[in-house]
Amino acid sequence: LRDSELVRQLKSIRFVTPQVAIVQEAGAVKLKYQRQMVTTKKSIHTNIVVKRQGEWKITAFYDSPVQKRGFIKKLVRWLDGRE
């Protein structure tokens, strides 16, 4: 992913303690030759950040692809044996 860029949009910040926060962002990787990020490749990024010696550091990171609409309904139907 040389010369790529992570395009992000902040969704929420929740402080668990004054020194620990959960940060959620939506985003995608934009490759060097792309003018815009590919919207079908969007993900939700969840970061656990910790404040140490006055600086915020990412201590854990989770990346989950955004599912198409209707995915959960199809999954439930499949699990119920209706499809």
Side-chain angles (χ1 to χ4, degrees):
L1 296 175
R2 176 185 252 167
D3 298 323
S4 63
E5 175 186 356
L6 180 60
V7 180
R8 302 176 297 182
Q9 179 184 19
L10 182 64
K11 293 294 185 181
S12 69
I13 300 175
R14 187 178 75 194
F15 288 91
V16 180
T17 71
Q19 291 80 27
V20 178
I22 301 170
V23 179
Q24 287 194 316
E25 301 171 312
V29 173
K30 185 180 80 144
L31 301 174
K32 178 180 166 182
Y33 59 86
Q34 295 173 320
R35 290 183 179 195
Q36 298 177 19
M37 70 176 179
V38 179
T39 57
T40 58
K41 301 288 185 183
K42 277 189 175 178
S43 295
I44 299 294
H45 310 274
T46 303
N47 299 297
I48 308 300
V49 294
V50 176
K51 191 174 187 180
R52 292 191 184 138
Q53 299 176 347
E55 291 187 22
W56 289 97
K57 302 286 184 177
I58 297 173
T59 190
F61 173 83
Y62 181 74
D63 181 41
S64 177
V66 174
Q67 299 292 332
K68 292 181 182 179
R69 288 185 172 198
F71 172 79
I72 298 299
K73 284 183 181 180
K74 288 179 184 177
L75 177 63
V76 169
R77 284 186 188 143
W78 181 80
L79 291 171
D80 285 345
R82 289 184 264 165
E83 281 191 13

